[in-house]
Amino acid sequence: MGLLSLGTPLAWDDAKRYADHVRTHGITQFLSIWDRLKDRCGDELLWGDEIEYLVVSFDNEGKNARLSLRQTEILAKLAAITSDIASARGESASVPTFHPEYGRFMLESTPGSPYSGSLSDILSVEDDMRWRRQLARRYLKQDEIPYTLTSFPRLGVPGVFTDPYFDPADAKSSHSLFLPEEITNPHARFPTLTANIRRRRGSKVAINLPLYIDSRTPRPFVDPTIPWQRNIYAEDPEAKRGAALNDHIYMDAMGFGMGCCCLQITFQSCNVNEARRLYDALVPVAPLMLALTAASPLFRGYIADVDCRWDVISACVDDRTEEERGVKPLKENRFRIPKSRYSSVSLYLSDHWMHRPEYNDIDAPYDQAIFDRLQKHGIDSILARHISHLFIRDPIVIFSETIDQDDENSNDHFENIQSTNWQTVRFKPPPVNSPIGWRVEFRSMEVQMTDFENAAFSIFVVLLSRAILAFNLNLYLPISKVDENMARAQKRDALHTQKFYFRKDVFPPGGPSRPESRCSSCSSSGASSPATSPVDGTPRKEKKLRNCWPSVPRPANGVHAKPVEDEYEEMSLQEIMFGKADAFPGLFGLVYAYLDTLDMEEEERVKLERYLDLIKRRTDGTLKTAATWIREFVRTHPAYKFDSAVSQEINYDLLVAVDEIERGVRHTPDFLPQGAKR
């Protein structure tokens, strides 16, 4: 959850005086990193996942599943245990790590060391995820269970939904009608972030998800669970003044979004140019993977008419003022900003010849002074615009002790703004004084209920990333179409009801590249062995996933630039994944073509196929998404009244069922393939 500093956080009125200071020194820090590492090349493929958990406490007598607020105690215990494991092994690199998250009911886990491109590492992902879950579960109380569930269905309902119970009347940082102060991680960064977003915005955040209208849902639906007449904080009347929409699920605090869980993948790239190329290629993939991993149809005790968390998180940290949102003319602020700081990507990043300027076709304001400074330093215009676009945002949390930094040995000011631009894909410069290289983080996916699913989607994204680089694929779409795809991806059952814009021809001029015949331009561990046999010249299959690939040169006779609108069309997700006649092989076809370039044993291929089969069956509809399965569980529960409400009893039984599925004791042939739990 971004940068965790120790010290005294400044309230917004004090922090905003240092905004320009942070921006100026943040750019200085970026340029320092750039000067030292812009020519770094040859890094091997290292990658890792981040998985977030909800810790749920069960009152079995009262049939109530509640969020456990023991994060601090749990993390302290896990830190001691993992330290003991590391000492017993004589190593620490392979021991998983657990981290705090925004919600006091959340944990985040990462592998103790990154995975490499070896097939043995790829096939160890599920075991590593399972070990992390088992460690967490082993040191919880007997009535507590860690869940990889995207959203807790009854967060913010009237009554008891946390253990222990706290009253929302004391929500001093968020002023929420629904969430108590104690829901938030006590580290000073988190309540300050919450309060400063509210103060900068000039009101509470307003989240409205369309309600799923069932046969007995009152119309219009005016939510009876909203305390309309509460009068504790100045913002309390906002709900009845229009912030809460009829026929919607209204939420009013950062905790509703940042209390959601997700699955994120970070790749180390061969060099900065490869990172920029991979970043661009994954931007159009992000909405597709959001639809495929849809897992959050329930919010604040109701069934939503969407399947994903994205818009909830986007709205929960939307610190834009009325002027920046376009509600009022610009007067006090510098920019009209079209998107929340948690949003889909607004600009492509690569200077590769396949990137046409027309693809960046939406309004993405940027700081002209910062842009000019970056260009004067030698940064190309595309990267300069990306950085200067991120830096139109204010730093929300500033610690008094870290205002003045050594810009050669710190990147905290840069990360203060970079890490609070939460987008579907993130370009990540190397940390200061670290062996880590240029990275790309893929951020759109919803966390899945089981380790098998999370491993499957992680592995698929890794393999797809290698296919993109190996075959020099061109996945560019206009950003406006990517944004439209993001909106469609969140709709109920989008996987089967929506069409998505996608490129008709993904291959470079002249047809698919042959990775076997090309050697990397970087000589290091990132490059592979000779691409052809020295005996007969046949393509040599590779033992591990390569990281360094030369780019296809611009064709000598130029590129025939047809109108951008002729480059893409609407396709079903089935067509995008499986292919469309002879015109497009589909993403699965590309992944399998890449697998054919690898030297693997039959047993390894069979294991990989288990994971790919899950995603294929989710795509073709023979297996349900988590969102569909959860929605149907609620609607077929004996206690459901077809009024869109998720009662305490239904929630309890749902959480019991999800745990049984994860442990492999509940048979769900419409959701998981047979043998998914090993």
Side-chain angles (χ1 to χ4, degrees):
M1 173 70 202
L3 190 65
L4 284 186
S5 299
L6 296 175
T8 308
L10 300 179
W12 176 243
D13 284 344
D14 296 318
K16 66 182 179 182
R17 294 186 291 138
Y18 295 99
D20 286 336
H21 174 90
V22 171
R23 277 190 286 264
T24 297
H25 287 271
I27 294 300
T28 301
Q29 292 170 2
F30 170 75
L31 291 174
S32 175
I33 294 170
W34 178 263
D35 289 343
R36 289 198 303 269
L37 298 170
K38 64 180 185 295
D39 297 322
R40 175 174 173 151
C41 190
D43 284 322
E44 67 174 315
L45 173 62
L46 297 175
W47 67 280
D49 66 80
E50 297 175 31
I51 289 184
E52 294 163 343
Y53 307 84
L54 308 173
V55 179
V56 175
S57 170
F58 281 85
D59 172 9
N60 294 314
E61 184 175 339
K63 299 294 183 183
N64 193 10
R66 308 153 299 175
L67 291 168
S68 170
L69 303 185
R70 293 196 315 114
Q71 181 196 77
T72 303
E73 180 184 341
I74 293 167
L75 285 173
K77 181 67 173 177
L78 287 171
I81 294 301
T82 53
S83 178
D84 290 345
I85 294 172
S87 298
R89 290 184 170 193
E91 57 177 302
S92 60
S94 62
V95 180
T97 52
F98 292 87
H99 315 272
E101 257 295 340
Y102 179 91
R104 201 179 292 197
F105 50 87
M106 302 173 74
L107 307 173
E108 178 186 280
S109 77
T110 55
S113 58
Y115 309 117
S116 72
S118 71
L119 288 169
S120 60
D121 271 14
I122 300 293
L123 293 171
S124 73
V125 172
E126 183 184 353
D127 287 341
D128 191 273
M129 291 177 174
R130 180 161 290 121
W131 185 32
R132 281 179 263 161
R133 189 190 296 265
Q134 289 171 349
L135 277 176
R137 187 163 188 149
R138 190 181 305 167
Y139 299 104
L140 296 179
K141 291 181 177 179
Q142 187 173 1
D143 61 356
E144 291 176 333
I145 297 174
Y147 283 88
T148 46
L149 197 64
T150 300
S151 63
F152 184 73
R154 284 177 56 83
L155 177 65
V157 299
V160 179
F161 62 89
T162 63
D163 179 19
Y165 169 79
F166 292 98
D167 192 331
D170 192 35
K172 59 186 178 183
S173 61
S174 70
H175 295 184
S176 175
L177 296 170
F178 312 106
L179 300 184
E181 184 71 16
E182 291 80 6
I183 208 85
T184 306
N185 183 319
H187 185 285
R189 177 180 190 262
F190 297 103
T192 304
L193 185 62
T194 304
N196 283 359
I197 284 175
R198 173 177 54 79
R199 291 165 180 154
R200 187 188 187 282
R201 176 184 170 91
S203 66
K204 289 191 297 183
V205 296
I207 309 161
N208 283 280
L209 279 189
L211 181 73
Y212 176 77
I213 305 299
D214 218 328
S215 58
R216 297 179 184 171
T217 305
R219 298 299 304 279
F221 178 78
V222 180
D223 191 349
T225 69
I226 296 176
W228 299 98
Q229 304 306 319
R230 195 182 82 169
N231 189 25
I232 300 174
Y233 300 108
E235 299 92 343
D236 282 354
E238 289 176 1
K240 61 186 176 184
R241 290 175 182 168
L245 303 179
N246 288 349
D247 295 332
H248 284 73
I249 305 167
Y250 171 64
M251 295 166 277
D252 66 348
M254 187 173 173
F256 284 107
M258 288 301 184
C260 292
C261 297
C262 64
L263 168 65
Q264 298 170 349
I265 311 294
T266 299
F267 306 92
Q268 176 175 263
S269 292
C270 176
N271 54 48
V272 65
N273 290 332
E274 206 87 321
R276 293 169 67 177
R277 192 154 68 101
L278 181 60
Y279 175 97
D280 282 10
L282 291 178
V283 168
V285 174
L288 311 180
M289 298 310 298
L290 179 61
L292 279 164
T293 58
S296 46
L298 310 179
F299 287 91
R300 208 171 61 72
Y302 293 110
I303 308 176
D305 203 29
V306 298
D307 279 358
C308 301
R309 79 200 187 285
W310 193 266
D311 281 351
V312 177
I313 314 183
S314 179
C316 89
V317 293
D318 190 356
D319 68 331
R320 293 174 300 160
T321 66
E322 289 184 310
E323 292 180 16
E324 290 169 332
R325 299 198 305 272
V327 177
K328 293 180 177 178
L330 285 177
K331 183 178 179 183
E332 301 294 330
N333 299 114
R334 298 186 300 158
F335 305 101
R336 185 191 178 281
I337 305 177
K339 296 181 180 180
S340 166
R341 61 197 303 153
Y342 198 117
S343 65
S344 53
V345 166
S346 294
L347 291 167
Y348 288 115
L349 185 54
S350 176
D351 59 357
H352 193 276
W353 59 266
M354 290 182 187
H355 175 198
R356 299 173 59 177
E358 300 96 308
Y359 297 140
N360 286 328
D361 68 335
I362 67 168
D363 180 21
Y366 61 96
D367 188 306
Q368 186 67 52
I370 291 175
F371 177 84
D372 292 343
R373 181 184 172 193
L374 291 166
Q375 284 231 283
K376 186 176 180 180
H377 197 87
I379 307 294
D380 64 85
S381 62
I382 297 174
L383 180 55
R385 190 176 175 198
H386 167 79
I387 298 294
S388 58
H389 170 65
L390 298 184
F391 271 60
I392 65 172
R393 309 287 181 174
D394 282 335
I396 299 298
V397 179
I398 299 174
F399 290 88
S400 60
E401 294 84 352
T402 61
I403 290 172
D404 295 313
Q405 299 177 8
D406 176 358
D407 292 340
E408 293 297 312
N409 292 293
S410 174
N411 64 343
D412 283 3
H413 282 327
F414 174 76
E415 285 298 330
N416 192 324
I417 294 177
Q418 153 93 347
S419 68
T420 55
N421 275 273
W422 298 279
Q423 298 181 336
T424 48
V425 187
R426 179 179 283 158
F427 170 71
K428 303 179 74 168
V432 172
N433 301 322
S434 165
I436 298 171
W438 297 91
R439 293 152 297 150
V440 175
E441 184 179 27
F442 188 71
R443 301 172 43 81
S444 66
M445 292 189 291
E446 309 233 295
V447 76
Q448 304 296 287
M449 296 195 295
T450 69
D451 298 315
F452 173 74
E453 297 166 273
N454 288 316
F457 282 106
S458 299
I459 290 168
F460 177 77
V461 171
V462 172
L463 293 176
L464 179 60
S465 75
R466 298 308 97 184
I468 288 168
L469 296 174
F471 301 126
N472 271 285
L473 301 180
N474 180 353
L475 302 185
Y476 280 110
L477 287 174
I479 289 289
S480 61
K481 300 306 178 187
V482 177
D483 284 352
E484 177 61 29
N485 284 350
M486 280 297 293
R488 295 180 183 186
Q490 299 173 69
K491 294 184 181 296
R492 175 164 48 92
D493 198 24
L495 185 56
H496 304 112
T497 63
Q498 299 296 308
K499 289 200 170 186
F500 298 87
Y501 293 102
F502 202 75
R503 194 174 179 89
K504 297 176 185 177
D505 184 4
V506 300
F507 296 114
S513 302
R514 290 178 56 83
E516 305 90 346
S517 66
R518 297 186 287 110
C519 296
S520 171
S521 58
C522 290
S523 57
S524 76
S525 59
S528 62
S529 56
T532 57
S533 166
V535 178
D536 58 10
T538 57
R540 184 192 296 274
K541 293 196 172 187
E542 300 188 275
K543 292 286 189 181
K544 64 188 298 185
L545 279 61
R546 196 198 293 191
N547 205 34
C548 296
W549 304 91
S551 178
V552 168
R554 182 188 293 269
N557 59 351
V559 182
H560 176 65
K562 58 185 176 182
V564 168
E565 56 268 22
D566 291 341
E567 295 180 345
Y568 59 86
E569 64 181 346
E570 290 181 283
M571 300 185 196
S572 68
L573 204 43
Q574 291 76 18
E575 290 172 328
I576 294 171
M577 297 296 286
F578 295 127
K580 188 173 181 181
D582 296 328
F584 171 57
L587 298 185
F588 273 117
L590 295 167
V591 166
Y592 278 110
Y594 175 71
L595 289 177
D596 288 341
T597 72
L598 300 178
D599 181 8
M600 70 175 76
E601 301 295 330
E602 180 62 26
E603 181 181 0
E604 293 172 323
R605 185 83 181 221
V606 169
K607 289 180 178 178
L608 280 176
E609 189 60 47
R610 291 176 62 245
Y611 300 119
L612 296 178
D613 183 63
L614 169 74
I615 302 172
K616 285 190 286 188
R617 294 184 62 189
R618 288 275 168 88
T619 304
D620 68 21
T622 56
L623 291 177
K624 297 170 182 174
T625 64
T628 296
W629 188 90
I630 290 170
R631 187 188 301 277
E632 291 184 0
F633 181 95
V634 172
R635 296 192 71 249
T636 57
H637 192 282
Y640 181 61
K641 300 178 180 179
F642 297 93
D643 57 356
S644 310
V646 182
S647 68
Q648 176 177 305
E649 177 186 354
I650 295 172
N651 185 60
Y652 177 89
D653 289 344
L654 172 64
L655 271 292
V656 169
V658 170
D659 178 55
E660 290 173 346
I661 290 172
E662 203 292 315
R663 290 187 291 114
V665 299
R666 186 184 183 101
H667 187 48
T668 51
D670 59 345
F671 177 62
L672 286 178
Q674 187 174 5
K677 182 74 175 181
R678 290 182 297 170

